[in-house]
Amino acid sequence: MTFSITAQDPQSKARTGTLITDHGPIQTPIFMPVGTAGTVKAVHQRELETDVNAEIILGNTYHLYMRPGLDVLSQAGGLHAFNGWKRPILTDSGGYQVYSLSGTRKIKEEGVTFKSHIDGSKHTFTPEGVMDIQRTIGADIVMAFDECTPYPCDYEYARKSMDMTHRWLDRCINRFDATEGHYGFNQTLFPIVQGSTYADLRRQSAEMIASKEREGNAIGGLAVGEPAEEMYAMIELVNGILPVDKPRYLMGVGTPANILEAIALGVDMFDCVMPTRNARHGLLFTTEGIINIKNEKWNRDFSPIDAGLGGYASTFYSKAYLRHLIKSEELLGGQIASLHNLTFYLWLVRQARAHIAVGDFVSWKNEMVVHLMQRL
């Protein structure tokens, strides 16, 4: 994998770049739709490619390990062959599930033992095992195994968790570098900065991760309930330490405003379930602001969902029709809304790229943060 910076905003840390993988190029800043179980919920691969024009999608190690399982994925030839997605894929390590399954897991130095959310069976994830699983899944970018601490988090717990994440990283690197991919293309490993919202821990973690000199780096453990200003402060601190010439991936973020502010702080890659999860509940992000399509005011609004966005779903269907589908709990409603929101998120980062390239990103960003987050 290679990364090159193509433009730098003169008034912020925002930049554009090109990340080259064996499954194709990725233009940054980029938003990556979340395909947890090998599918971006309610969206066909053809739509992701032609309508949304997603350049990379995510899969999740924990969920794919549980179902369909490694034997199926291996026999299929990896996740690309299994789900038919020809472009790059990134896999989360399962570290977030360590966080979210707190009631059914035990964390030890060796790894994490947990119960399956499907059948209650017991499993153990170790740093080495997670590297092997991600080799079998076959993602282009694989994430190191870490623990995502909750918010708020006691300082001493955050410190011990960060130290363990660092020890796990060394084990991940050793295993990853001692093995090869299964399907004839290159994979790369991204370490993850932790440290909760404590500046000294974040600084220490960022310095440790930077010292590993991997091809890209990630910032984890944010957007878990902390105020946005604390999140931005941690991003700014960490990005001041992580190498400028490597892509920076902010995990699990976020709203349109979060993404624009983080781009200004030097983040290159984003993922979040927000566009698809909110879509299924009738919350739409549009070029004019946020719409709750369930509201009565849209009942007789026969205008397109978002004429300014373009794209099939956003311009072919009316707000009134989508409201009817969502209120009726018709499956098509979730499909249209998901396709629309993903199209919006990819539009947003492409607009950001264009404004970085011409040098007026900051003024555009400041206007759009207010404009896009208003409730219509």
Side-chain angles (χ1 to χ4, degrees), residues 16-54:
T16 64
T18 303
L19 197 158
I20 303 291
T21 75
D22 284 0
H23 280 100
I26 302 160
Q27 303 300 320
T28 63
I30 191 64
F31 179 81
M32 304 179 284
V34 176
T36 301
T39 169
V40 177
K41 280 187 171 60
V43 182
H44 290 287
Q45 268 71 304
R46 181 189 59 77
E47 293 170 328
L48 280 172
E49 185 175 339
T50 61
D51 296 355
V52 176
N53 196 18

Side-chain angles (χ1 to χ4, degrees), residues 75-89:
Q75 289 180 37
L79 184 56
H80 285 93
F82 188 55
N83 71 0
W85 179 251
K86 304 281 194 292
R87 297 178 181 181
I89 295 175

Side-chain angles (χ1 to χ4, degrees), residues 187-330:
Q187 296 176 285
T188 191
L189 171 65
F190 280 23
I192 303 171
V193 176
Q194 289 290 350
S196 187
T197 53
Y198 299 105
D200 60 326
L201 297 183
R202 283 285 174 180
R203 184 176 295 107
Q204 183 182 338
S205 188
E207 289 171 351
M208 191 275 188
I209 265 60
S211 74
K212 298 303 178 181
E213 298 183 343
R214 307 307 293 193
E215 293 169 310
N217 299 294
I219 307 170
L222 295 176
V224 291
E226 77 281 359
E229 291 312 313
E230 286 192 38
M231 176 175 69
Y232 299 145
M234 293 302 103
I235 295 168
E236 184 172 23
L237 187 158
V238 168
N239 279 352
I241 298 168
L242 292 179
V244 173
D245 61 344
K246 306 286 180 65
R248 301 159 177 160
Y249 164 31
L250 180 60
M251 305 180 75
V253 176
T255 66
N258 292 157
I259 288 174
L260 292 179
E261 296 292 0
I263 288 173
L265 296 171
V267 173
D268 306 295
M269 303 167 70
F270 302 87
D271 80 285
C272 191
V273 297
M274 187 173 288
T276 46
R277 179 177 290 169
N278 283 358
R280 297 193 300 275
H281 293 93
L283 195 73
L284 307 179
F285 299 98
T286 79
T287 56
E288 297 301 320
I290 298 171
I291 290 175
N292 182 349
I293 202 68
K294 292 181 179 179
N295 288 348
E296 179 66 26
K297 67 185 292 184
W298 311 113
N299 187 38
R300 299 177 189 277
D301 188 328
F302 303 110
S303 65
I305 296 167
D306 190 353
L309 182 62
Y312 174 73
S314 308
T315 57
F316 183 82
Y317 298 105
S318 71
K319 297 182 183 74
Y321 181 61
L322 180 56
R323 179 182 186 275
H324 158 69
L325 295 177
I326 294 290
K327 293 286 284 184
S328 303
E329 299 184 356
E330 286 288 342

Side-chain angles (χ1 to χ4, degrees), residues 348-366:
L348 182 65
V349 292
R350 290 188 181 106
Q351 288 289 302
R353 293 204 296 262
H355 286 277
I356 293 168
V358 299
D360 67 351
F361 172 76
V362 170
S363 59
W364 172 81
K365 182 265 294 182
N366 291 341

Side-chain angles (χ1 to χ4, degrees), residues 29-244:
I30 191 64
F31 179 81
M32 304 179 284
V34 176
T36 301
T39 169
V40 177
K41 280 187 171 60
V43 182
H44 290 287
Q45 268 71 304
R46 181 189 59 77
E47 293 170 328
L48 280 172
E49 185 175 339
T50 61
D51 296 355
V52 176
N53 196 18
E55 297 177 40
I56 175 173
I57 63 172
L58 264 68
N60 181 270
T61 294
Y62 166 83
H63 286 282
L64 291 166
Y65 165 83
M66 287 297 173
R67 194 164 48 194
L70 300 184
D71 286 347
V72 171
L73 287 168
S74 180
Q75 289 180 37
L79 184 56
H80 285 93
F82 188 55
N83 71 0
W85 179 251
K86 304 281 194 292
R87 297 178 181 181
I89 295 175
L90 180 151
T91 40
D92 187 358
S93 68
Y96 185 79
Q97 278 62 47
V98 172
Y99 160 77
S100 63
L101 298 173
S102 57
T104 62
R105 49 79 167 153
K106 291 183 180 178
I107 303 175
K108 297 181 179 179
E109 186 67 31
E110 175 60 20
V112 180
T113 300
F114 55 89
K115 289 183 179 178
S116 165
H117 72 290
I118 298 169
D119 60 10
S121 57
K122 219 176 205 185
H123 303 266
T124 299
F125 272 13
T126 65
E128 295 82 3
V130 166
M131 294 300 97
D132 294 346
I133 293 168
Q134 291 185 88
R135 287 293 199 190
T136 300
I137 293 170
D140 299 86
I141 300 171
V142 308
M143 303 307 299
F145 192 48
D146 66 330
E147 183 192 2
C148 176
T149 52
Y151 179 88
C153 180
D154 174 76
Y155 179 89
E156 193 58 23
Y157 184 94
R159 184 188 65 78
K160 289 180 178 178
S161 173
M162 178 196 72
D163 288 342
M164 185 176 65
T165 288
H166 292 170
R167 292 191 297 272
W168 282 0
L169 173 60
D170 286 335
R171 291 165 60 187
C172 286
I173 289 172
N174 290 338
R175 183 59 156 238
F176 185 84
D177 289 351
T179 57
E180 294 183 356
H182 298 181
Y183 311 112
F185 59 85
N186 292 301
Q187 296 176 285
T188 191
L189 171 65
F190 280 23
I192 303 171
V193 176
Q194 289 290 350
S196 187
T197 53
Y198 299 105
D200 60 326
L201 297 183
R202 283 285 174 180
R203 184 176 295 107
Q204 183 182 338
S205 188
E207 289 171 351
M208 191 275 188
I209 265 60
S211 74
K212 298 303 178 181
E213 298 183 343
R214 307 307 293 193
E215 293 169 310
N217 299 294
I219 307 170
L222 295 176
V224 291
E226 77 281 359
E229 291 312 313
E230 286 192 38
M231 176 175 69
Y232 299 145
M234 293 302 103
I235 295 168
E236 184 172 23
L237 187 158
V238 168
N239 279 352
I241 298 168
L242 292 179
V244 173

